[in-house]
Amino acid sequence: MVVTGSVESLLECRQVKKHYGALKAVDGINLNIAAGETIGIGGPNGAGKTTFFDLISGLTAVSAGQVLFNGQAITGIAPHKLFHMGMARTFQVTSGFGSLTVLQNMLASVVNGSGNEEAGLLLSKAHREKSMSCLAEYGLADIADDLVSNIPVLDRKKLMVASAVVHHPQILLLDEPVGGLMPAEIDEFIELMINLRGKGTCIVFIEHVMRFLTTVADRALIMHQGKLIYDGTPPGMAADPLVKSVYLGSEADEMGGD
Ligand SMILES: Nc1ncnc2c1ncn2[C@@H]1O[C@H](COP(=O)(O)OP(=O)(O)OP(=O)(O)O)[C@@H](O)[C@H]1O
């Protein structure tokens, strides 16, 4: 059966579910995301946020439901193919090849993300130039020759984003981009995200740091027990009684809720 989605939606989820035995990790999510939106996803630990990202990005097979990207059903398509189709993703655990340099990491993304599926890394001058220009944009050019295992966490996180966006994805999924960062580093990341948002990239991120979520996102989604319990403005979360009771607690008062 050919499934087609709404042309207005960049990403559409229809009754998406992931069940592990009796555990309903993701339990029937319906969602439409338009091009250019910036969406922050919150919710208590174990709510199903990362599993939901895994279903969208092809890392885990759905138990039921459909995910459509640009109107095309993408359930069952491998993550690297989705990357070539314009969907990029980063992970909660800061990743990267620790034994390679910052430049070599970026080159891997530039070459492998280009859609060329032949084995091996054939590097050209253009690949290096593209890599260095992207590193410069993220303030990483000066450490291009450092081993990734030796650079600070903030720079590793920036490199993860820079590698993900080097091919200008239509949608970027970020799993806890500022987890573990200091307040000043979070500020730096906020600026980086606002800059990316300004270029029209659709950004969907999972984040527990509410200051980051409310500053960067123009739409907030809250998950609880595999379901979406809130879909609205970021400031509106603080006034939502269910969101307050299962997730925000006293933080809702600090955010200006009742
Ligand atoms: N492969 C798996 N097998 C069995 N259960 C799993 C698996 N992956 C996730 N779960 C369970 O699914 C539920 C949702 O987990 P998930 O990691 O998606 O939550 P989360 O909202 O991202 O949490 P956190 O904020 O702590 O990262 C949890 O109860 C988790 O233990």
Side-chain angles (χ1 to χ4, degrees):
M1 180 178 63
V2 176
V3 179
T4 51
S6 141
V7 280
E8 289 91 44
S9 286
L10 178 61
L11 189 85
E12 186 175 345
C13 298
R14 294 181 183 166
Q15 278 299 316
V16 169
K17 296 181 182 174
K18 183 68 191 182
H19 295 173
Y20 293 108
L23 176 77
K24 296 175 177 177
V26 173
D27 193 19
I29 299 242
N30 288 307
L31 184 65
N32 284 291
I33 296 177
E37 276 195 292
T38 307
I39 299 179
I41 305 179
N45 293 329
K49 304 178 295 295
T50 296
T51 305
F52 183 49
F53 261 24
D54 291 346
L55 299 176
I56 295 172
S57 58
L59 221 64
T60 301
V62 298
S63 303
Q66 283 281 353
V67 181
L68 298 102
F69 183 47
N70 280 317
Q72 182 192 339
I74 57 166
T75 15
I77 297 183
H80 72 283
K81 296 236 157 105
L82 291 176
F83 186 48
H84 299 158
M85 287 165 68
M87 179 188 292
R89 174 188 176 169
T90 69
F91 293 86
Q92 203 169 332
V93 176
T94 311
S95 55
F97 302 113
S99 58
L100 298 182
T101 67
V102 168
L103 174 59
Q104 286 167 335
N105 269 264
M106 183 56 86
L107 278 165
S109 189
V110 166
V111 176
N112 290 325
S114 63
N116 179 356
E117 297 202 344
E118 282 170 33
L121 283 176
L122 286 173
L123 302 179
S124 68
K125 190 165 170 247
H127 288 136
R128 280 178 194 280
E129 282 171 1
K130 188 176 170 88
S131 298
M132 281 311 293
S133 133
C134 195
L135 289 178
E137 207 179 318
Y138 283 80
L140 299 169
D142 290 348
I143 57 164
D145 294 326
D146 290 4
L147 285 181
V148 163
S149 55
N150 293 339
I151 66 173
V153 173
L154 175 65
D155 288 337
R156 286 182 80 144
K157 285 184 180 282
K158 283 185 186 172
L159 179 60
M160 238 185 357
V161 174
S163 308
V165 300
V166 71
H167 293 290
H168 309 290
Q170 288 179 281
I171 189 164
L172 174 65
L173 308 172
L174 304 169
D175 197 345
E176 298 197 30
V178 297
L181 294 184
M182 305 294 284
E185 296 174 328
I186 293 175
D187 288 340
E188 228 184 283
F189 232 84
I190 287 175
E191 248 184 71
L192 201 140
M193 287 297 119
I194 289 174
N195 188 279
L196 199 53
R197 195 178 67 180
K199 291 180 182 166
T201 311
C202 176
I203 308 169
V204 185
F205 63 86
I206 296 169
E207 192 51 74
H208 290 291
V209 178
M210 284 301 115
R211 181 168 69 87
F212 181 86
L213 193 152
T214 54
T215 313
V216 174
D218 46 40
R219 180 178 170 194
L221 305 175
I222 302 296
M223 285 184 70
H224 177 52
Q225 296 178 342
K227 292 184 188 295
L228 268 187
I229 59 162
Y230 179 86
D231 181 353
T233 65
M237 288 185 294
D240 187 284
L242 183 56
V243 173
K244 187 175 172 180
S245 96
V246 303
Y247 183 46
L248 291 176
S250 59
E251 203 175 347
D253 303 328
E254 290 157 32
M255 289 168 65
D258 293 332

